[in-house]
Amino acid sequence: MRTCYTGEVSKAHLGQTVTLFGWVHRRRDHGGVIFIDLRDRAGLAQIVVDPDNAESFAIAERIRNEFCVRVTGLVRERPEGTVNPDLASGEVEVLCREIEILNASVTPPFQLDDDNLSETTRLTHRVLDLRRPQMQRNLMLRYRVSIEVRKYLDQLGFIDIETPMLTKSTPEGARDYLVPSRVNAGEFFALPQSPQLFKQMLMVSGFDRYYQITKCFRDEDLRADRQPEFTQIDCETSFLNEEEIRAIFEGMLRHVFKSVQQVELPETFPAMSWEEAMRRFGSDKPDLRVKLELVDVDDLMKDVDFKVFAGPANDPASRVVALRVPGAAALTRGEIDSYTQFVAIYGARGLAYIKVNDATALPEGLQSPIVKNIHLDALKGVIERTGAQNGDLIFFGADKAKVVNDAMGALRVKIGHSEFGREHGLFEAGWKPLWVVDFPMFEFDEEEGRYFAAHHPFTSPKDGHEDLLETDPARALAKAYDIVLNGWEIGGGSVRIHRADVQSKVFRALNISEEEAAEKFGFLLDALQYGAPPHGGIAFGLDRLVTMMAGADSIRDVIAFPKTQRAQCLLTQAPSPVDEKQLRELHIRLRKTEAVQGA
């Protein structure tokens, strides 16, 4: 029987005989005395095997890294000068009296303390990768976050209710993962992109406060913060308005951070409209740690000779913005060129700039190839509006609004996080939460010539905006809200539509006929007829939240068995072909496809 976890051995055990289980992290032979660093999920402990104990010493000589062993021994203080302050057990060691090899290990494909492993190697050998202390800490952190979420919601009367994994395919913004039905030939289930429709029906069913920590599935292009299967903290409430819902979940985040990491988040999270966030930061998930903002200068550039600015300045669908970077006039041409290449990733065709050498002497005090094409009044307006001082650099973005927002918003963050930004006080460390509210109800697709729901078609419009759904959909705002933390969207939700007349207006704005609505959402629409209560909710990305708290680079580092960016599991080699018999049972025939060129 294990006395305690290996990593928990401490001075409290001095003089006691303990039995420990774990894996050999490292074995060292020092002049006839063998030292073994034994590891389990709680950490490391040093085991000392003396040659006086001939039987144990002989076994210890055979031991290699990653052998699974049992050790019984006496806890004693480490000799003076050998204390390891980096270990919880670093003041003591265990003098081995008995050691047993429970299972040998072949030579591992990598050392567990190698910090330069490729992700391919790590994911292929994920079982070993998960033994690494950092990965063990990440998954234990994930566990603690989940526990604290459950504690908080339970105290507020939320009920954990499971919803189906096999459901109906409905349009929710991303491709569904489809599951063929064997007993219903030619028909398919879909894996849920979220429990959205089911949690709304639970509100109609009278459960009032629901939550679950559940898997969701989306067949979409991947990146560092996305996975084909991910985990949501999914919540829904009845009889609460937008502000009351937000207050509950602010409290949840404060509770989790305080309980898990002893971090005090602000007592009240600031809120900002979507329009203001896009105008000031070019992003609906602004990183408030970065002390730089975009400034609109369209009106100043309408009549300048520089057509790169004048064209967008006179186009209602475009923007011209300035980004003042204090002290950045000292940047080299090479550094500025690197930023030009960076914004090109987001579709920007260039990055104009002005160095401010003397803000009181215009235009002579300004240095840039574009200054000669911008009249004096415009230059004065830019300096005044941005608050530029001597030694500053002003970057400009001019293009379609989306390109400017994406490019200049990303540039703002890149500069703020850079070594230059940190040295010049453009970045403030810490946790900066923000509610982004008042999202547009709809997004217009130029190619298809129609509106799409910005969130989902059951999101309620702001009070007083119901008529805009038919008269001017572009101006209609939603009771939608995202929670942003340090530039990451970690949660989002909305108040839902519970009135049939408002729902019909939304469907008409989306060009969804009554027949199509009944076909795709009929089960929900039927349920809403039976005295549906006012309701709303939110879903948090557990993977993203834990990634941030762990300081990890990717959500793959906080998921036990993740997929690659090609949606593959390198450990199990999934997805993989299946045999013809299985396909026949599912009434499926594969079509031959030519290999993708260059694949």
Side-chain angles (χ1 to χ4, degrees), residues 90-107:
E91 294 181 291
V92 300
E93 60 188 16
V94 178
L95 178 62
C96 177
R97 289 179 174 168
E98 183 181 330
I99 187 166
E100 177 187 1
I101 298 174
L102 300 175
N103 210 338
S105 170
V106 297
T107 302

mmCIF file with all atom_site columns, all heavy atoms in Angstrom, residues 90-107:
data_model
loop_
_atom_site.group_PDB
_atom_site.id
_atom_site.type_symbol
_atom_site.label_atom_id
_atom_site.label_alt_id
_atom_site.label_comp_id
_atom_site.label_asym_id
_atom_site.label_entity_id
_atom_site.label_seq_id
_atom_site.pdbx_PDB_ins_code
_atom_site.Cartn_x
_atom_site.Cartn_y
_atom_site.Cartn_z
_atom_site.occupancy
_atom_site.B_iso_or_equiv
_atom_site.pdbx_formal_charge
_atom_site.auth_seq_id
_atom_site.auth_comp_id
_atom_site.auth_asym_id
_atom_site.auth_atom_id
_atom_site.pdbx_PDB_model_num
ATOM 1   N N   . GLY A 1 90  ? 12.455 18.465 -1.642  1.00 0.00 ? 90  GLY A N   1
ATOM 2   C CA  . GLY A 1 90  ? 13.886 18.729 -1.790  1.00 0.00 ? 90  GLY A CA  1
ATOM 3   C C   . GLY A 1 90  ? 14.691 18.778 -0.516  1.00 0.00 ? 90  GLY A C   1
ATOM 4   O O   . GLY A 1 90  ? 15.930 18.795 -0.569  1.00 0.00 ? 90  GLY A O   1
ATOM 5   N N   . GLU A 1 91  ? 14.034 18.765 0.663   1.00 0.00 ? 91  GLU A N   1
ATOM 6   C CA  . GLU A 1 91  ? 14.774 18.785 1.925   1.00 0.00 ? 91  GLU A CA  1
ATOM 7   C C   . GLU A 1 91  ? 15.057 17.383 2.457   1.00 0.00 ? 91  GLU A C   1
ATOM 8   O O   . GLU A 1 91  ? 15.803 17.225 3.417   1.00 0.00 ? 91  GLU A O   1
ATOM 9   C CB  . GLU A 1 91  ? 13.997 19.579 2.983   1.00 0.00 ? 91  GLU A CB  1
ATOM 10  C CG  . GLU A 1 91  ? 13.857 21.066 2.663   1.00 0.00 ? 91  GLU A CG  1
ATOM 11  C CD  . GLU A 1 91  ? 13.105 21.806 3.757   1.00 0.00 ? 91  GLU A CD  1
ATOM 12  O OE1 . GLU A 1 91  ? 11.889 21.588 3.915   1.00 0.00 ? 91  GLU A OE1 1
ATOM 13  O OE2 . GLU A 1 91  ? 13.760 22.600 4.476   1.00 0.00 ? 91  GLU A OE2 1
ATOM 14  N N   . VAL A 1 92  ? 14.425 16.382 1.835   1.00 0.00 ? 92  VAL A N   1
ATOM 15  C CA  . VAL A 1 92  ? 14.567 15.018 2.349   1.00 0.00 ? 92  VAL A CA  1
ATOM 16  C C   . VAL A 1 92  ? 14.931 14.061 1.226   1.00 0.00 ? 92  VAL A C   1
ATOM 17  O O   . VAL A 1 92  ? 14.849 14.402 0.035   1.00 0.00 ? 92  VAL A O   1
ATOM 18  C CB  . VAL A 1 92  ? 13.263 14.538 3.026   1.00 0.00 ? 92  VAL A CB  1
ATOM 19  C CG1 . VAL A 1 92  ? 12.898 15.429 4.197   1.00 0.00 ? 92  VAL A CG1 1
ATOM 20  C CG2 . VAL A 1 92  ? 12.112 14.490 2.017   1.00 0.00 ? 92  VAL A CG2 1
ATOM 21  N N   . GLU A 1 93  ? 15.338 12.855 1.617   1.00 0.00 ? 93  GLU A N   1
ATOM 22  C CA  . GLU A 1 93  ? 15.560 11.770 0.675   1.00 0.00 ? 93  GLU A CA  1
ATOM 23  C C   . GLU A 1 93  ? 15.101 10.473 1.341   1.00 0.00 ? 93  GLU A C   1
ATOM 24  O O   . GLU A 1 93  ? 14.855 10.437 2.564   1.00 0.00 ? 93  GLU A O   1
ATOM 25  C CB  . GLU A 1 93  ? 17.039 11.684 0.286   1.00 0.00 ? 93  GLU A CB  1
ATOM 26  C CG  . GLU A 1 93  ? 17.982 11.428 1.444   1.00 0.00 ? 93  GLU A CG  1
ATOM 27  C CD  . GLU A 1 93  ? 19.445 11.542 1.050   1.00 0.00 ? 93  GLU A CD  1
ATOM 28  O OE1 . GLU A 1 93  ? 19.744 12.110 -0.015  1.00 0.00 ? 93  GLU A OE1 1
ATOM 29  O OE2 . GLU A 1 93  ? 20.294 11.070 1.837   1.00 0.00 ? 93  GLU A OE2 1
ATOM 30  N N   . VAL A 1 94  ? 14.956 9.438  0.534   1.00 0.00 ? 94  VAL A N   1
ATOM 31  C CA  . VAL A 1 94  ? 14.478 8.153  1.051   1.00 0.00 ? 94  VAL A CA  1
ATOM 32  C C   . VAL A 1 94  ? 15.611 7.128  0.902   1.00 0.00 ? 94  VAL A C   1
ATOM 33  O O   . VAL A 1 94  ? 16.068 6.863  -0.210  1.00 0.00 ? 94  VAL A O   1
ATOM 34  C CB  . VAL A 1 94  ? 13.220 7.677  0.298   1.00 0.00 ? 94  VAL A CB  1
ATOM 35  C CG1 . VAL A 1 94  ? 12.771 6.307  0.812   1.00 0.00 ? 94  VAL A CG1 1
ATOM 36  C CG2 . VAL A 1 94  ? 12.095 8.705  0.443   1.00 0.00 ? 94  VAL A CG2 1
ATOM 37  N N   . LEU A 1 95  ? 16.084 6.610  2.055   1.00 0.00 ? 95  LEU A N   1
ATOM 38  C CA  . LEU A 1 95  ? 17.100 5.565  2.040   1.00 0.00 ? 95  LEU A CA  1
ATOM 39  C C   . LEU A 1 95  ? 16.411 4.232  1.756   1.00 0.00 ? 95  LEU A C   1
ATOM 40  O O   . LEU A 1 95  ? 15.606 3.744  2.559   1.00 0.00 ? 95  LEU A O   1
ATOM 41  C CB  . LEU A 1 95  ? 17.832 5.514  3.383   1.00 0.00 ? 95  LEU A CB  1
ATOM 42  C CG  . LEU A 1 95  ? 18.895 4.408  3.519   1.00 0.00 ? 95  LEU A CG  1
ATOM 43  C CD1 . LEU A 1 95  ? 20.021 4.606  2.501   1.00 0.00 ? 95  LEU A CD1 1
ATOM 44  C CD2 . LEU A 1 95  ? 19.447 4.380  4.938   1.00 0.00 ? 95  LEU A CD2 1
ATOM 45  N N   . CYS A 1 96  ? 16.729 3.669  0.609   1.00 0.00 ? 96  CYS A N   1
ATOM 46  C CA  . CYS A 1 96  ? 16.024 2.473  0.140   1.00 0.00 ? 96  CYS A CA  1
ATOM 47  C C   . CYS A 1 96  ? 16.315 1.257  1.012   1.00 0.00 ? 96  CYS A C   1
ATOM 48  O O   . CYS A 1 96  ? 17.468 0.953  1.316   1.00 0.00 ? 96  CYS A O   1
ATOM 49  C CB  . CYS A 1 96  ? 16.425 2.186  -1.311  1.00 0.00 ? 96  CYS A CB  1
ATOM 50  S SG  . CYS A 1 96  ? 15.696 0.696  -1.976  1.00 0.00 ? 96  CYS A SG  1
ATOM 51  N N   . ARG A 1 97  ? 15.266 0.582  1.419   1.00 0.00 ? 97  ARG A N   1
ATOM 52  C CA  . ARG A 1 97  ? 15.395 -0.698 2.106   1.00 0.00 ? 97  ARG A CA  1
ATOM 53  C C   . ARG A 1 97  ? 14.961 -1.857 1.208   1.00 0.00 ? 97  ARG A C   1
ATOM 54  O O   . ARG A 1 97  ? 15.450 -2.975 1.337   1.00 0.00 ? 97  ARG A O   1
ATOM 55  C CB  . ARG A 1 97  ? 14.558 -0.697 3.389   1.00 0.00 ? 97  ARG A CB  1
ATOM 56  C CG  . ARG A 1 97  ? 15.148 0.203  4.466   1.00 0.00 ? 97  ARG A CG  1
ATOM 57  C CD  . ARG A 1 97  ? 14.277 0.208  5.717   1.00 0.00 ? 97  ARG A CD  1
ATOM 58  N NE  . ARG A 1 97  ? 14.919 0.951  6.794   1.00 0.00 ? 97  ARG A NE  1
ATOM 59  C CZ  . ARG A 1 97  ? 14.299 1.313  7.921   1.00 0.00 ? 97  ARG A CZ  1
ATOM 60  N NH1 . ARG A 1 97  ? 13.016 1.005  8.090   1.00 0.00 ? 97  ARG A NH1 1
ATOM 61  N NH2 . ARG A 1 97  ? 14.946 1.981  8.854   1.00 0.00 ? 97  ARG A NH2 1
ATOM 62  N N   . GLU A 1 98  ? 14.019 -1.535 0.304   1.00 0.00 ? 98  GLU A N   1
ATOM 63  C CA  . GLU A 1 98  ? 13.524 -2.578 -0.597  1.00 0.00 ? 98  GLU A CA  1
ATOM 64  C C   . GLU A 1 98  ? 13.050 -1.910 -1.875  1.00 0.00 ? 98  GLU A C   1
ATOM 65  O O   . GLU A 1 98  ? 12.409 -0.863 -1.838  1.00 0.00 ? 98  GLU A O   1
ATOM 66  C CB  . GLU A 1 98  ? 12.370 -3.335 0.069   1.00 0.00 ? 98  GLU A CB  1
ATOM 67  C CG  . GLU A 1 98  ? 11.822 -4.497 -0.758  1.00 0.00 ? 98  GLU A CG  1
ATOM 68  C CD  . GLU A 1 98  ? 10.668 -5.182 -0.061  1.00 0.00 ? 98  GLU A CD  1
ATOM 69  O OE1 . GLU A 1 98  ? 10.645 -5.178 1.193   1.00 0.00 ? 98  GLU A OE1 1
ATOM 70  O OE2 . GLU A 1 98  ? 9.783  -5.703 -0.766  1.00 0.00 ? 98  GLU A OE2 1
ATOM 71  N N   . ILE A 1 99  ? 13.388 -2.502 -3.010  1.00 0.00 ? 99  ILE A N   1
ATOM 72  C CA  . ILE A 1 99  ? 12.937 -1.963 -4.300  1.00 0.00 ? 99  ILE A CA  1
ATOM 73  C C   . ILE A 1 99  ? 12.490 -3.116 -5.180  1.00 0.00 ? 99  ILE A C   1
ATOM 74  O O   . ILE A 1 99  ? 13.090 -4.187 -5.185  1.00 0.00 ? 99  ILE A O   1
ATOM 75  C CB  . ILE A 1 99  ? 14.064 -1.136 -4.972  1.00 0.00 ? 99  ILE A CB  1
ATOM 76  C CG1 . ILE A 1 99  ? 13.519 -0.434 -6.228  1.00 0.00 ? 99  ILE A CG1 1
ATOM 77  C CG2 . ILE A 1 99  ? 15.278 -1.981 -5.308  1.00 0.00 ? 99  ILE A CG2 1
ATOM 78  C CD1 . ILE A 1 99  ? 14.446 0.652  -6.754  1.00 0.00 ? 99  ILE A CD1 1
ATOM 79  N N   . GLU A 1 100 ? 11.395 -2.891 -5.896  1.00 0.00 ? 100 GLU A N   1
ATOM 80  C CA  . GLU A 1 100 ? 10.841 -3.918 -6.770  1.00 0.00 ? 100 GLU A CA  1
ATOM 81  C C   . GLU A 1 100 ? 10.543 -3.311 -8.127  1.00 0.00 ? 100 GLU A C   1
ATOM 82  O O   . GLU A 1 100 ? 9.929  -2.232 -8.220  1.00 0.00 ? 100 GLU A O   1
ATOM 83  C CB  . GLU A 1 100 ? 9.554  -4.479 -6.174  1.00 0.00 ? 100 GLU A CB  1
ATOM 84  C CG  . GLU A 1 100 ? 8.872  -5.521 -7.062  1.00 0.00 ? 100 GLU A CG  1
ATOM 85  C CD  . GLU A 1 100 ? 7.510  -5.940 -6.532  1.00 0.00 ? 100 GLU A CD  1
ATOM 86  O OE1 . GLU A 1 100 ? 7.084  -5.408 -5.481  1.00 0.00 ? 100 GLU A OE1 1
ATOM 87  O OE2 . GLU A 1 100 ? 6.871  -6.790 -7.177  1.00 0.00 ? 100 GLU A OE2 1
ATOM 88  N N   . ILE A 1 101 ? 10.995 -3.981 -9.181  1.00 0.00 ? 101 ILE A N   1
ATOM 89  C CA  . ILE A 1 101 ? 10.650 -3.559 -10.534 1.00 0.00 ? 101 ILE A CA  1
ATOM 90  C C   . ILE A 1 101 ? 9.269  -4.114 -10.873 1.00 0.00 ? 101 ILE A C   1
ATOM 91  O O   . ILE A 1 101 ? 9.089  -5.323 -11.003 1.00 0.00 ? 101 ILE A O   1
ATOM 92  C CB  . ILE A 1 101 ? 11.695 -4.054 -11.553 1.00 0.00 ? 101 ILE A CB  1
ATOM 93  C CG1 . ILE A 1 101 ? 13.070 -3.444 -11.250 1.00 0.00 ? 101 ILE A CG1 1
ATOM 94  C CG2 . ILE A 1 101 ? 11.267 -3.695 -12.979 1.00 0.00 ? 101 ILE A CG2 1
ATOM 95  C CD1 . ILE A 1 101 ? 14.187 -3.990 -12.120 1.00 0.00 ? 101 ILE A CD1 1
ATOM 96  N N   . LEU A 1 102 ? 8.291  -3.214 -10.976 1.00 0.00 ? 102 LEU A N   1
ATOM 97  C CA  . LEU A 1 102 ? 6.931  -3.651 -11.315 1.00 0.00 ? 102 LEU A CA  1
ATOM 98  C C   . LEU A 1 102 ? 6.790  -3.883 -12.813 1.00 0.00 ? 102 LEU A C   1
ATOM 99  O O   . LEU A 1 102 ? 6.022  -4.736 -13.244 1.00 0.00 ? 102 LEU A O   1
ATOM 100 C CB  . LEU A 1 102 ? 5.918  -2.607 -10.861 1.00 0.00 ? 102 LEU A CB  1
ATOM 101 C CG  . LEU A 1 102 ? 5.907  -2.309 -9.355  1.00 0.00 ? 102 LEU A CG  1
ATOM 102 C CD1 . LEU A 1 102 ? 4.945  -1.169 -9.045  1.00 0.00 ? 102 LEU A CD1 1
ATOM 103 C CD2 . LEU A 1 102 ? 5.540  -3.554 -8.566  1.00 0.00 ? 102 LEU A CD2 1
ATOM 104 N N   . ASN A 1 103 ? 7.528  -3.119 -13.596 1.00 0.00 ? 103 ASN A N   1
ATOM 105 C CA  . ASN A 1 103 ? 7.517  -3.303 -15.042 1.00 0.00 ? 103 ASN A CA  1
ATOM 106 C C   . ASN A 1 103 ? 8.695  -2.547 -15.640 1.00 0.00 ? 103 ASN A C   1
ATOM 107 O O   . ASN A 1 103 ? 8.938  -1.383 -15.288 1.00 0.00 ? 103 ASN A O   1
ATOM 108 C CB  . ASN A 1 103 ? 6.213  -2.794 -15.657 1.00 0.00 ? 103 ASN A CB  1
ATOM 109 C CG  . ASN A 1 103 ? 5.827  -3.568 -16.905 1.00 0.00 ? 103 ASN A CG  1
ATOM 110 O OD1 . ASN A 1 103 ? 6.672  -4.193 -17.545 1.00 0.00 ? 103 ASN A OD1 1
ATOM 111 N ND2 . ASN A 1 103 ? 4.549  -3.526 -17.254 1.00 0.00 ? 103 ASN A ND2 1
ATOM 112 N N   . ALA A 1 104 ? 9.420  -3.238 -16.509 1.00 0.00 ? 104 ALA A N   1
ATOM 113 C CA  . ALA A 1 104 ? 10.542 -2.600 -17.193 1.00 0.00 ? 104 ALA A CA  1
ATOM 114 C C   . ALA A 1 104 ? 10.026 -1.749 -18.351 1.00 0.00 ? 104 ALA A C   1
ATOM 115 O O   . ALA A 1 104 ? 8.863  -1.844 -18.753 1.00 0.00 ? 104 ALA A O   1
ATOM 116 C CB  . ALA A 1 104 ? 11.512 -3.661 -17.696 1.00 0.00 ? 104 ALA A CB  1
ATOM 117 N N   . SER A 1 105 ? 10.883 -0.902 -18.889 1.00 0.00 ? 105 SER A N   1
ATOM 118 C CA  . SER A 1 105 ? 10.522 -0.054 -20.022 1.00 0.00 ? 105 SER A CA  1
ATOM 119 C C   . SER A 1 105 ? 11.586 -0.193 -21.102 1.00 0.00 ? 105 SER A C   1
ATOM 120 O O   . SER A 1 105 ? 12.787 -0.291 -20.793 1.00 0.00 ? 105 SER A O   1
ATOM 121 C CB  . SER A 1 105 ? 10.430 1.414  -19.591 1.00 0.00 ? 105 SER A CB  1
ATOM 122 O OG  . SER A 1 105 ? 10.306 2.274  -20.707 1.00 0.00 ? 105 SER A OG  1
ATOM 123 N N   . VAL A 1 106 ? 11.160 -0.216 -22.342 1.00 0.00 ? 106 VAL A N   1
ATOM 124 C CA  . VAL A 1 106 ? 12.122 -0.111 -23.433 1.00 0.00 ? 106 VAL A CA  1
ATOM 125 C C   . VAL A 1 106 ? 12.692 1.305  -23.407 1.00 0.00 ? 106 VAL A C   1
ATOM 126 O O   . VAL A 1 106 ? 12.178 2.183  -22.706 1.00 0.00 ? 106 VAL A O   1
ATOM 127 C CB  . VAL A 1 106 ? 11.465 -0.401 -24.799 1.00 0.00 ? 106 VAL A CB  1
ATOM 128 C CG1 . VAL A 1 106 ? 10.943 -1.828 -24.853 1.00 0.00 ? 106 VAL A CG1 1
ATOM 129 C CG2 . VAL A 1 106 ? 10.343 0.601  -25.083 1.00 0.00 ? 106 VAL A CG2 1
ATOM 130 N N   . THR A 1 107 ? 13.744 1.543  -24.157 1.00 0.00 ? 107 THR A N   1
ATOM 131 C CA  . THR A 1 107 ? 14.339 2.881  -24.194 1.00 0.00 ? 107 THR A CA  1
ATOM 132 C C   . THR A 1 107 ? 13.335 3.874  -24.771 1.00 0.00 ? 107 THR A C   1
ATOM 133 O O   . THR A 1 107 ? 12.833 3.679  -25.890 1.00 0.00 ? 107 THR A O   1
ATOM 134 C CB  . THR A 1 107 ? 15.612 2.883  -25.055 1.00 0.00 ? 107 THR A CB  1
ATOM 135 O OG1 . THR A 1 107 ? 16.536 1.933  -24.521 1.00 0.00 ? 107 THR A OG1 1
ATOM 136 C CG2 . THR A 1 107 ? 16.248 4.266  -25.073 1.00 0.00 ? 107 THR A CG2 1
#
